[in-house]
Structure formats: structure tokens, C-alpha cells
Amino acid sequence: MGKDLHLGRSAWPSSGGEMGARVRAFDWEKTPLGPIASWPQSLKTTIDLMMASQLAMNLIWGPERILIYNEVHRAFMGTMHPRAFGRPGREVWGEVWEAAEAAIHRRVFAGETVTLEDHPWTLLRNDGPEEAFFTSYFTPIRDETGAVVANLATAFETTNAIKEKAARDQAERALRKSEASLREVLEGIGEAFYALDQDQRFLYASRKALEIWDKKPDDLMGVPFLSAFPNAVGALDYEAQRRALETGTAQHFESASPLIGHWFEVDIYPASTGVSVAFRDIDRRKQAETLLLASEARLKAAVELIGLSPYSGDPRTGALDWDARLKAMWGLPADTTVDAPMTVAAIHRDDQARVAAAWEASLDPDSDGVFVAEYRVQGIEDGIERWVSTHAQNFFEGRQPVGFIGAIREITEEKHAEARLRDSEARLKAAVDLARLGRYAWNPQTNELQWDDTLRAMWGLAAGTPVDYEVWRAGVHPDDLARVEAAVQRCVDPRGDGVYDIEYRVIGNTDGVERWIATRGRTNFENGAPVAFFGIALEVTERKRIEERLERRIEDRRRELEEANRQLRSQMEKRKFAETEVQQLQRLDAIGQITSGVAHDFNNLLTVVLTNARLLARTMERPDDREGVELIRIAADRGRKLIAQLLAFSRKQQLAPLEVDLNRKIAGIGDLLGATLGGTVQLKTIFAPDLWPALVDPNQIEMIVLNLAINARDAMQPGDTLTIETFNTVIESESFRPEEPLPGDYVVLAVKDTGTGIPDDVLLHVFEPFYTTKEPGKGSGLGLAQVFGFAKQSGGGVRIETRLGQGTAVKVFLPRAGVDNADHHADTVDASKPLQTTKRFRVLVADDEKAVLRSMVRMLDVLGYATVSAESGGEALRMLASNQEIDLVLADLAMPEMSGGELAKAIRAMRPTLPVILITGYGDRTVLNELNDLRIILKPFTEDELVNAISAALE
């Protein structure tokens, strides 16, 4: 009994233990029940019953629902006791009581007996809330007049019984599920299975076994094994079954079964009921083992190819097994013996703590044992810093790590690329800020908006002003709002491309100024739902004002345009002919390939003809003779020009790069493009307004655009769209394909179609000369090869982006003018300088072609130079060794035994200050560039060109 209890003024009730003492000691006068002496007999009788009962009882008395409970029920009260005793239920249980009042007490006080079987209750006992189950009986108590005055609750705790029943039910369900799963597994596994009793009678045979034996279940169940298979006597299978039954030991073997005539792997397991036998076909496995060995060899080769280095070790001893490649990452020779302390010490000090924490976490037996990290190592012997990526798996016995395996790959270049990407993004942000582009992001799910201050200024908002979807919508001009919202709906429709591209007006929130905004963005989708949108905006008010002024002039120019259209229609037939000519451009590339190889010989012949024709013209006196010589010179000069024109179609041509405005150049051939497309394909151009000038040969641009337009047209259906776009770009990463551009600044010409796209197997060959997928006579296969040759020779490259059924984009990257695009040209002098000089210079001429040699000597003699001739490089060197008065050497580039370039190097070593001019009939730009700073003139040449070259060399 608690020390706070005393007998009080009443000795009733005389029983009940502690709770009886509490009834006697409680100050009932302060409660609605009043002193015990005034209690009705029905209340006293009920309390006597409670105190004497061995059942848990709780009395709820009167309209105030006063709580009185016995000794057994006290344990159910938990931390509510003794505060709950003698107090109204609402004060004790709060909201819980209100629920009980509605569900139980009102019914009982209305005279109904309520029973709750196995009802869950949450009790505060055992130091916290605990779910318990009770079967409770709620009985109305009546006073002397028969009125219900109380609710007597009698409770039996059934928690243990409920939990035991639940456990039994769960165990029975698990057993049934296990039996079903076992049977399902036995029927579903890919191997045959059967069971025999102690007398080798069949107890079970799986579906797979029955299929192999071609038996039915009724043929085997309860039948002795030898009765079903009489030929099994003496067979390895039968003898193994018998040994398993006799010795109780498992049997495993492989055999060619006489029952089936096939190789099987057999496992026999003895059991108390008999034996269980599993057998599986291993013919394919035998073949697979051979294939596996080959596969493992290929896997090892693949691992080495992608740079993975496997390793293993024991965390208990620190022992490591590393291959030579992995040791090289740590800057160690292949024969070095490594251990854990050595390898850990090489980890960069800034990464050691992070790596150690990840390793310790992987050794936790409660974890998955996986170790993943990226970190730097400092080469132990070579001192080189490298980035590596590692992935390992620890293995445990009990709770102790006993080993690990993993692989490491060097990612130094990837990390450097990430750093370059971050730098590129920073430059991009600076460029966006410089262009005064506003940036924004929108969440289509929540309508949340994020704007930068540049965009806020376009809406007439102060920097940092909060924005939301309604702020944006309120700023859109009312006449444009429907169009803008329709564009928004299109860009979030997963059936579209997600692109948002529109121009509209906004009215400043605070300044009321009307502005035109051009905005473009793209929606990102996940599982067919729009999840994010990013875009940029540019104020184009001034451009729109210019456009409006231009529109006002349209009416004035309408008549002029009608006349122009009439003229255009009259030229359509001519353009059709031009289209046919354009389609032949690719075929002409073959001519360029042939002429490139024979250009030298033709140029030598033309040099002899032109040189001697010009010399003859000086000596002829009769007009008829001079006319004949002039006709020879004119014909030879036309031949020279023809060679130059044919070389223009070869990838080895000599280009004449100039600064070119691609926008203007493409716009200038718009009519030709329209005629080429034939009116069945829509032509769209997108020109970058701030396009850099390109450093290219302008004569080749038209051919490239037309080639690409024709290819695109042939891949499209009537009504499709061909887009020609120009823009600037900066390539920072190294190219992985030969046709792609190297890092640098480029002007890009992109030709995009909405045609069929290019399959992967075709894409591999598109740049190969003469490769074509068109019908015979429809294409030469030289178009893209010619584009590739021009772009690479110009110092750029080509990329193709294609998707089947959606179209193809061919992007030609051309070098930006003004950037370091070194191009070696022969020095030139002012043509106005006199052909003669006051000093008679001595020139050594070297050429293996006697006719060319003699012709050049004659020309030099006429021009006033003293000459010495040599028919080879070796002879020229001997003359130089014996004649120090030679002022200049004029040598052919292509000579046997010693070329002109080799001769020039030898002369530079012998007499460094002696100028050398090389003469060549080759048009190959690659060959010319290899000569670096040597002076070069091309055959055939004029007297002025020769004198200019000599004068420049002698300055």
C-alpha cells in the first residue's frame, strides 16, 4: 500500500488491497459522488463486487463518468494510475474518451450490454506505448429505481492468445507457400528431378523428367525403378542409387545414360524416405565450357582495352594482388611488390580522409560491403599526379571482412575534360551576359518561375523583384496573350518537340513601356510528363520597329515585286537546266581525282609551250608569224586555266582562302537553291546576325551548299522542309572522328532536312568516295566526300547528326577569319617594278625535264639574267661548290634522286644566305604546305610572275 494512503473516515470497503484502501482514503466530498456515507447501496454493492473480483473491472459512474477500478485493472492503467482514480474520464483520456463515449458508454447508459472481442488498445506500460488486445464486457448498473447510473467494464487480456494465433497463421501460410514454391520450383527448374523410397519405388517425378523419359505420372508413381526401366540393371545410374541408399552418402557423376543415350550430370541425395535424384543435360554445357574459355579471353582483352585493372586483397593482412597496369598508375615498375600501406600513402593528402572514410564504411558488416571512390594518387617513383576511379566489393565471414575484389580505371583525362567543361560554362555565362540575354526557368508542375535581373528589366521590374506565373502573364500584351499561351501549351505537350520559340510584346510593370521580346526555350520530359523548362529572352524592340517601317513600304514596292516575280517565272526553265548541272557536280570530283595525278606533267608541257611562245613572239617580225605564235600562246594559256579548273574539283586543289560573309554568300544563291529544290521542298534559312567572317575559298562555298541541298532534297518527300542555318561555335574538346574539327573558333554552315535519316550501317561510309545508296545513274557518291575534303583542307571539319524518320543535319565547320589560320603563300612584289635590274644577277636553274630547263634558261636570258643550268639536284650542288658567284637558285620541285625541297635544304646548309625558288606543276595544297617558308611559284608562269619572285628573293 502506498504511503499516501490512510484509512480515512470510513472502514469500508474492507477488501480490495491497494485500490480498496484508495476508496477508503479518497476525499469523495470534492467529487460529484459526495461522501461515502451518502452513496446509494447500488454503488457500494458494485464496488464490493469489484474489489473482491479476480477479474479486471472498471466502474464508470454517473453523468460525470467518474472512474473507479480494482486491483487487477490497475495494471491496465499504466502511467495514468493513480491520477485517473476518482476523476471524470474526459479529464483522464481526452480525445480517446470522446470516441469511447460515442461507441460504448452512451449505449450502455441507454441500457444496452456491449461486448468487444479481441479489441486492440494502446496502453502506456513497460516504459512506453504498447498495443494490447482485450475481450471486454460493458454492463449497465441500475440504482434502486431501476435507472442506469453506471457502466461496469470487465476486461480479459487476450494479447498473448492473439499473437500466438497470428504466429500460427503466419507459420501455416509460410508452410503452404513454401510447399507451393517448392513444387513450382521443382516443376519450373530446367533440370529433371525424381524421388524414390527405400525400396526404390517412385514417389515423385518432375515434368522435365517425364518429358525426357516420355512417361506419364501414372506410369511411374509407386512403381519400382527397375520395373519402369528394366534395362537399368548394372548401369551407373542404378548402381549409384543403390550405393546412396546403402551408405547414406550423396553421389555425383557424369555419364552417358543407357536409358536416354545422352550425357547427363547426376546428383543423388539420400534422405530418410529414400533418395532424391536430379539430372540435367550437359551436352550444351560441355560446348558452353569451351565457349566460356574463349569468352573469358575476350573479356580479359576488353577489360584491358577499356583500361580497367582488376585487383584483390585481404583486409586482415594488407596483402594486395595488382597487375602491371595498376602499378603503373601508382608510378611503380611492373615487378614491384605492393602492400596496403604503400598504396594508401600515395593517395593525395587532400583525398586521404575521404577515401579512408569510404573504405571504413565498406568494412562495416551491416553495409553492402561496396567501396566506390574517385581520388588522386601521386606517382611513387615518377611523381605524376593521376585521377583514378575504383569500385570494390568486400566479402565477410560472420561479421569479419575476409577479402575483397575490385577494379580501378584511370580517369585523369575525364577529370581534365570536366574542368574544361566548367570553364566553358563560365565563358558561356559571360557571353550570355554580354549579349544581354535574359535567362529563366519554369516548373510546369508547380508554375514556379526563376528569372535573372536582365529578364526582370524587360518586364519593367526592379532587380530582385519576386516573380511568379501570374506576374509573367500580367505583363504580356493582351493582344498577344492567347498566342503566347497556345505556344506554352504546345511546348509542354509530350507529343511535340518541346521547343518554345515565339516573339511577343510585354508592357512594363512599373514604367508602362511596351517592349518586344524574342524568347526561345525547351521543355524536358520524364515518363511523358513535362518536368522542367529552360529558356532565354532577348529584347528585339528596335528590330521590330525597323520591321514595321519596312512593312509600311511593302505597298509601295508591290508593283516592283510583281514585275520581279514575272521575271522569275520566265527564268524557271533556265533554273531547271541549272539544277541538272548541279546534280553533276559530284560526278566531276572523279575528274579532279584523275587530273590531280597528271597535273604536274601537263603543267610542265604548258610551261614549255607558253614560255617559248612568249619568247618567239618577241622575235617575230611578220604579223602573220606573230599571230600564229599568239594563237599558240592563247591555246596553251587556255589549257593552263583548264587544268586549274579541273583541280578545283579535287581534294588536293590549291584553295585561295578569303574573308567571306556566309550569310551574304548563301543569300546570293537563294534563287539557284530554290530552282534546285524544284518547289516540292520548303526552304528555310536561319542566319546568325552576329556571324563571324569565315576564312575559306569563296568559289567553293556555292558548290558545298548545292551538294548538301541536293542530298537533302533526295532524302525528303514533297512538303518537307530544308533548313540552312549559320552560327558561331567554339570547339574545346578533341575530336574522336577523322571528319570532325579540332579545337578552335568556327563559323558553322548547317544544312538540315526532315527526311528519312541515315541508318547506322550507312553512316559509317558516307564520307567514302564513290559510296552511294542512290539508284544507278542517280549519284556519283562524291558529294559528301567532296564536302569532307573541302572542310578539312580549309582547316575545319564536318559533323552529321541524324535520326531515322526525323531527318539529318550536316554541319560544316569553317575556320573563323582573324584567328591564327596560318597559310603559306609565295612572297610577291609590286608588279610595277621594272623587269630589269641594274646588276646582272647569275641564276642557277635545275630541272630534270630538258625542255623545261632550256625554256627557263632562254626566258631568263631574255630577261637579262646570267644563267647556269643543271639537270639534277646533285649536279646543282656540285656547281654551287665550284661557283661562288651564283646569286639565286631556281629549282624544279619534282626531280628524281634529289627533290627540289631536299636540294633547298642542302643549299641552306651549304650557303645559308643563298635564296632558293622552287618551281612546281603540282596543285596539291598538302605538298605545298609541307615546304613551309620556301618560295614557290606554280607552272606555268608568266615573265612577270618569275621576275616578281626573283626580285622578292633577292631583296
Side-chain angles (χ1 to χ4, degrees):
M1 181 181 294
K3 63 182 180 179
D4 58 330
L5 303 181
H6 54 81
L7 291 177
R9 293 183 294 274
S10 173
W12 178 88
S14 58
S15 62
E18 177 187 338
M19 300 314 297
R22 288 192 177 278
V23 172
R24 293 191 295 272
F26 199 81
D27 189 0
W28 296 105
E29 294 181 1
K30 297 180 179 179
T31 71
L33 295 182
I36 291 178
S38 65
W39 287 5
Q41 187 58 45
S42 56
L43 174 56
K44 290 185 177 182
T45 301
T46 303
I47 290 176
D48 282 335
L49 174 65
M50 291 170 52
M51 297 304 166
S53 177
Q54 298 301 310
L55 301 177
M57 290 187 173
N58 177 25
L59 181 62
I60 300 113
W61 188 273
E64 295 83 4
R65 308 297 194 252
I66 303 299
L67 301 179
I68 304 173
Y69 44 87
N70 66 3
E71 189 77 14
V72 181
H73 193 276
R74 182 189 65 174
F76 299 160
M77 298 301 292
T79 59
M80 293 294 183
H81 176 76
R83 180 172 59 86
F85 186 80
R87 295 181 61 193
R90 289 183 182 84
E91 297 180 7
V92 176
W93 298 104
E95 294 180 359
V96 176
W97 182 266
E98 296 300 329
E101 177 73 20
I104 300 172
H105 303 320
R106 290 177 185 171
R107 295 167 57 190
V108 175
F109 276 88
E112 181 183 350
T113 298
V114 178
T115 302
L116 296 179
E117 294 186 1
D118 298 328
H119 187 76
W121 298 91
T122 300
L123 303 181
L124 296 175
R125 65 183 184 184
N126 298 327
D127 298 326
E130 178 182 334
E131 185 181 51
F133 294 86
F134 293 89
T135 295
S136 302
Y137 303 94
F138 300 91
T139 306
I141 302 298
R142 301 177 183 273
D143 62 7
E144 289 75 2
T145 65
V148 177
V149 294
N151 174 9
L152 179 62
T154 305
F156 302 88
E157 184 171 2
T158 60
T159 302
N160 292 336
I162 291 296
K163 291 183 178 180
E164 290 173 0
K165 182 177 182 302
R168 288 196 303 274
D169 291 345
Q170 183 177 4
E172 290 175 359
R173 288 194 299 271
L175 178 60
R176 289 193 295 272
K177 182 177 180 181
S178 175
E179 292 174 346
S181 299
L182 177 59
R183 183 171 293 277
E184 182 179 353
V185 169
L186 291 176
E187 294 296 339
I189 59 178
E191 61 184 33
F193 177 84
Y194 63 92
L196 305 175
D197 63 13
Q198 294 288 347
D199 296 324
Q200 296 199 50
R201 290 190 296 266
F202 278 97
L203 297 175
Y204 173 77
S206 69
R207 187 184 300 113
K208 185 67 173 180
L210 294 173
E211 290 176 358
I212 293 174
W213 292 328
D214 193 20
K215 300 281 188 180
K216 296 179 180 179
D218 294 342
D219 297 337
L220 298 179
M221 296 304 101
V223 176
F225 186 86
L226 287 180
S227 298
F229 301 103
N231 295 332
V233 176
L236 180 61
D237 307 58
Y238 179 75
E239 294 302 321
Q241 289 174 184
R242 186 176 57 77
R243 284 196 303 274
L245 285 169
E246 292 176 354
T247 64
T249 57
Q251 307 290 314
H252 175 83
F253 56 92
E254 296 176 357
S255 71
S257 172
L259 304 178
I260 308 300
H262 212 298
W263 273 94
F264 286 92
E265 180 182 26
V266 183
D267 287 287
I268 304 176
Y269 304 98
S272 59
T273 58
V275 291
S276 298
V277 183
F279 60 99
R280 61 201 67 84
D281 191 333
I282 62 170
D283 274 0
R284 291 186 178 180
R285 194 198 74 189
K286 293 289 188 181
Q287 299 174 8
E289 288 174 353
T290 302
L291 295 175
L292 178 60
L293 293 175
S295 175
E296 289 176 345
R298 290 194 298 271
L299 177 60
K300 181 179 179 182
V303 167
E304 293 178 352
L305 182 63
I306 63 177
L308 279 177
S309 293
Y311 65 94
S312 61
D314 188 336
R316 298 169 297 183
T317 63
L320 293 175
D321 182 11
W322 281 19
D323 64 8
R325 178 182 294 176
L326 186 51
K327 292 175 184 177
M329 293 183 197
W330 259 251
L332 293 170
D335 57 355
T336 304
T337 301
V338 297
D339 56 25
M342 174 194 301
T343 60
V344 171
I347 298 175
H348 195 287
R349 63 183 181 182
D350 293 341
D351 298 340
Q352 285 189 352
R354 175 171 55 82
V355 175
W359 176 248
E360 289 300 324
S362 71
L363 295 178
D364 185 348
D366 294 326
S367 70
D368 57 5
V370 174
F371 170 63
V372 179
E374 292 183 357
Y375 53 90
R376 292 162 292 179
V377 295
Q378 201 77 32
I380 295 175
E381 294 192 11
D382 60 15
I384 297 175
E385 181 179 289
R386 300 175 178 88
W387 274 94
V388 297
S389 174
T390 181
H391 192 292
Q393 175 69 58
N394 281 287
F395 301 98
F396 299 87
E397 289 184 0
R399 297 182 62 82
Q400 295 299 318
V402 296
F404 59 85
I405 60 172
I408 292 181
R409 181 171 64 92
E410 183 177 349
I411 58 171
T412 304
E413 186 56 36
E414 296 174 17
K415 286 295 183 178
H416 291 169
E418 291 174 2
R420 291 193 295 270
L421 177 60
R422 288 192 296 271
D423 183 60
S424 174
E425 290 173 345
R427 290 198 299 271
L428 175 61
K429 181 180 183 301
V432 168
D433 293 341
L434 184 62
R436 300 185 63 81
L437 289 174
R439 293 169 293 171
Y440 62 98
W442 170 47
N443 186 329
Q445 305 295 324
T446 64
N447 271 348
E448 179 184 1
L449 281 178
Q450 296 177 7
W451 285 11
D452 65 3
D453 287 340
T454 302
L455 192 58
R456 288 186 175 92
M458 297 180 194
W459 258 252
L461 298 171
T465 302
V467 294
D468 55 24
Y469 193 83
E470 291 305 320
V471 169
W472 164 80
R473 191 176 185 277
V476 179
H477 195 288
D479 295 345
D480 297 344
L481 184 58
R483 180 170 57 88
V484 173
E485 290 190 327
V488 171
Q489 292 303 315
R490 286 194 300 271
C491 81
V492 298
D493 188 344
R495 294 171 296 182
D497 58 6
V499 173
Y500 178 66
D501 189 358
I502 191 171
E503 295 181 357
Y504 58 91
R505 292 165 291 177
V506 298
I507 300 176
N509 181 274
T510 57
D511 56 16
V513 175
E514 180 179 293
R515 301 175 177 88
W516 273 95
I517 303 298
T519 180
R520 184 175 179 86
R522 182 179 291 277
T523 305
N524 294 331
F525 297 91
E526 290 183 3
N527 300 322
V531 296
F533 177 92
F534 302 95
I536 58 173
L538 177 68
E539 183 180 349
V540 293
T541 305
E542 186 59 32
R543 192 199 77 196
K544 282 293 184 180
R545 289 173 180 168
I546 295 173
E547 290 175 354
E548 290 172 359
R549 289 196 294 270
L550 290 175
E551 288 175 359
R552 287 194 294 268
R553 300 177 185 174
I554 290 177
E555 185 61 27
D556 297 335
R557 303 299 298 273
R558 182 175 60 81
R559 288 184 296 272
E560 298 177 14
L561 290 175
E562 288 179 352
E563 177 63 21
N565 287 333
R566 186 189 64 78
Q567 295 177 3
L568 180 61
R569 285 191 295 272
S570 69
Q571 294 176 1
M572 289 298 293
E573 292 301 322
K574 297 179 181 179
R575 295 305 186 192
K576 288 183 179 179
F577 177 77
E579 179 184 2
T580 303
E581 292 297 315
V582 170
Q583 290 175 344
Q584 301 302 320
L585 288 177
Q586 291 182 340
R587 295 183 178 89
L588 293 179
D589 184 62
I591 300 175
Q593 295 287 344
I594 297 172
T595 57
S596 177
V598 299
H600 175 259
D601 293 333
F602 274 110
N603 283 330
N604 275 339
L605 295 174
L606 291 173
T607 297
V608 174
V609 174
L610 281 171
T611 300
N612 288 284
R614 294 188 184 105
L615 294 175
L616 284 173
R618 293 172 179 267
T619 62
M620 293 295 178
E621 295 182 358
R622 294 176 55 195
D624 289 345
D625 293 338
R626 286 198 300 272
E627 181 182 5
V629 173
E630 181 64 16
L631 290 175
I632 294 173
R633 188 194 63 77
I634 292 173
D637 194 56
R638 289 183 60 191
R640 178 177 66 88
K641 293 179 180 178
L642 178 60
I643 291 296
Q645 290 172 348
L646 292 176
L647 284 174
F649 295 99
S650 171
R651 295 188 196 95
K652 298 180 179 180
Q653 69 222 26
Q654 184 173 9
L655 301 178
L658 300 172
E659 287 194 9
V660 176
D661 183 346
L662 281 185
N663 289 347
R664 180 178 298 176
K665 192 70 175 176
I666 296 171
I669 61 172
D671 293 343
L672 182 59
L673 279 172
T676 301
L677 298 177
T680 61
V681 175
Q682 301 180 40
L683 177 62
K684 179 181 179 182
T685 57
I686 303 174
F687 293 152
D690 56 348
L691 193 68
W692 297 328
L695 186 64
V696 291
D697 189 331
N699 296 322
Q700 300 293 321
I701 290 298
E702 295 180 7
M703 179 184 65
I704 295 304
V705 175
L706 291 172
N707 268 338
L708 294 177
I710 292 170
N711 277 350
R713 181 203 62 189
D714 293 345
M716 292 190 290
Q717 299 295 325
D720 283 355
T721 300
L722 173 67
T723 302
I724 299 179
E725 182 179 1
T726 61
F727 56 90
N728 302 325
T729 190
V730 177
I731 303 296
E732 295 185 346
S733 59
E734 294 292 335
S735 62
F736 294 98
R737 298 180 61 85
E739 70 271 12
E740 292 190 346
L742 298 173
D745 294 351
Y746 294 96
V747 183
V748 182
L749 165 65
V751 178
K752 306 176 182 179
D753 65 61
T754 56
T756 57
I758 304 174
D760 290 342
D761 58 334
V762 174
L763 189 62
L764 295 173
H765 305 286
V766 293
F767 292 119
E768 297 176 4
F770 306 110
Y771 179 83
T772 180
T773 59
K774 297 179 182 178
E775 299 176 4
K778 298 294 185 179
S780 65
L782 293 171
L784 285 177
Q786 200 167 14
V787 172
F788 165 68
F790 167 72
K792 295 301 286 186
Q793 193 172 354
S794 298
V798 185
R799 282 181 183 169
I800 294 184
E801 299 171 358
T802 183
R803 293 187 68 178
L804 290 179
Q806 298 186 21
T808 300
V810 180
K811 297 181 179 179
V812 183
F813 294 78
L814 302 173
R816 174 186 179 183
V819 181
D820 183 14
N821 291 285
D823 192 9
H824 301 289
H825 301 282
D827 295 337
T828 60
V829 298
D830 190 347
S832 64
K833 290 184 178 180
L835 299 181
Q836 299 289 349
T837 61
T838 57
K839 177 184 175 182
R840 183 173 173 80
F841 292 103
R842 185 174 295 275
V843 179
L844 170 61
V845 184
D847 198 310
D848 63 304
E849 291 283 344
K850 294 182 179 180
V852 176
L853 176 62
R854 183 58 189 153
S855 297
M856 287 193 295
V857 168
R858 291 187 63 201
M859 178 184 289
L860 290 169
D861 289 342
V862 170
L863 293 174
Y865 297 98
T867 58
V868 179
S869 62
E871 295 183 4
S872 67
E875 185 180 353
L877 289 177
R878 289 191 293 273
M879 289 183 177
L880 286 172
S882 62
N883 190 343
Q884 297 297 315
E885 295 181 359
I886 293 175
D887 300 299
L888 180 139
V889 176
L890 195 64
D892 184 39
L893 175 62
M895 293 188 295
E897 298 181 2
M898 178 181 290
S899 68
E902 294 169 338
L903 174 60
K905 293 180 181 179
I907 293 173
R908 184 169 294 176
M910 179 187 298
R911 293 176 58 180
T913 61
L914 180 63
V916 178
I917 298 177
L918 297 180
I919 303 175
T920 179
Y922 284 111
D924 191 338
R925 179 69 176 207
T926 303
V927 174
L928 301 181
N929 285 343
E930 290 176 353
L931 300 175
N932 291 330
D933 58 345
L934 291 175
R935 294 177 174 83
I936 300 169
I937 57 176
L938 298 178
K939 301 175 184 177
F941 48 81
T942 65
E943 293 93 330
D944 290 350
E945 292 171 341
L946 179 60
V947 170
N948 285 340
I950 293 175
S951 299
L954 293 173
E955 285 184 348

